[in-house]
Amino acid sequence: MPTKAMFLMIKQALQKPFTNPFPVKHAPVNVTALIEKVQKGEVKIHPPVPVPEDFRGKIHYDPERCIGCRFCITVCPADAMEWIPELRKIRHYVSRCMFCALCVDVCPGKKFPGEEKAVKALAISEDFLLADYDKYSDNLIEEPPEAKEKGL
């Protein structure tokens, strides 16, 4: 007797996969040689899957636009924002972030002379390649450059 699980498996088997295919048909022995062949035009690679319209990727932080209101820290459910009192700016830990974008929604931003509207200090990007061996690497922490220079 067919069950719901059987129908679901058949349905999923007939659907197009959502994953990105590997860039080439078979895994290469030498990746550097493969890249050289691609650059010469000897090998074609699969194009990447396009990012959906409402995709919530890595959140970028522009310290020049930050007014220090700390609304983002207040609304962040993952506790991914940290206040740097010496600079009156924030540090965003991407490795803790759950990409809900609440911080982007509440950010009032800053209006520079000559601009019609204030631009937010936090913005959602299309970056999704966030894998790293170190959760405290520069790729996974968004902070003002002064914080790195002063060691804050």
Side-chain angles (χ1 to χ4, degrees):
M1 176 163 197
T3 63
K4 282 186 177 183
M6 293 169 95
F7 286 117
L8 182 63
M9 287 191 314
I10 292 169
K11 179 182 172 187
Q12 288 177 350
L14 298 175
Q15 286 179 339
K16 185 177 175 185
F18 291 102
T19 55
N20 237 348
F22 192 73
V24 290
K25 188 172 183 178
H26 301 289
V29 175
N30 185 347
V31 176
T32 309
L34 173 70
I35 293 170
E36 290 172 1
K37 288 181 181 179
V38 169
Q39 289 173 341
K40 292 178 187 175
E42 297 172 9
V43 176
K44 288 189 114 186
I45 60 172
H46 297 290
V49 174
V51 177
E53 186 177 324
D54 294 330
F55 180 75
R56 293 187 297 205
K58 181 179 179 181
I59 295 175
H60 283 287
Y61 172 59
D62 182 2
E64 297 295 318
R65 298 279 182 181
C66 183
I67 62 171
C69 65
R70 294 190 258 182
F71 288 157
C72 54
I73 296 170
T74 305
V75 300
C76 183
D79 199 26
M81 306 284 183
E82 179 182 54
W83 178 245
I84 306 172
E86 295 86 359
L87 301 175
R88 296 189 45 81
K89 304 290 180 189
I90 63 160
R91 178 179 291 127
H92 176 237
Y93 292 99
V94 179
S95 59
R96 293 184 200 163
C97 186
M98 51 191 257
F99 309 101
C100 64
L102 290 173
C103 57
V104 177
D105 293 339
V106 299
C107 182
K110 187 176 194 178
K111 181 179 169 186
F112 287 136
E115 293 178 338
E116 292 181 26
K117 288 175 57 177
V119 177
K120 296 182 178 205
L122 295 166
I124 298 173
S125 72
E126 293 184 351
D127 296 347
F128 60 89
L129 298 174
L130 303 175
D132 205 315
Y133 289 108
D134 180 16
K135 69 179 182 177
Y136 298 112
S137 74
D138 290 340
N139 182 39
L140 298 178
I141 297 176
E142 294 276 332
E143 63 185 346
E146 305 92 51
K148 290 177 188 171
E149 292 167 6
K150 295 179 181 178
L152 301 174

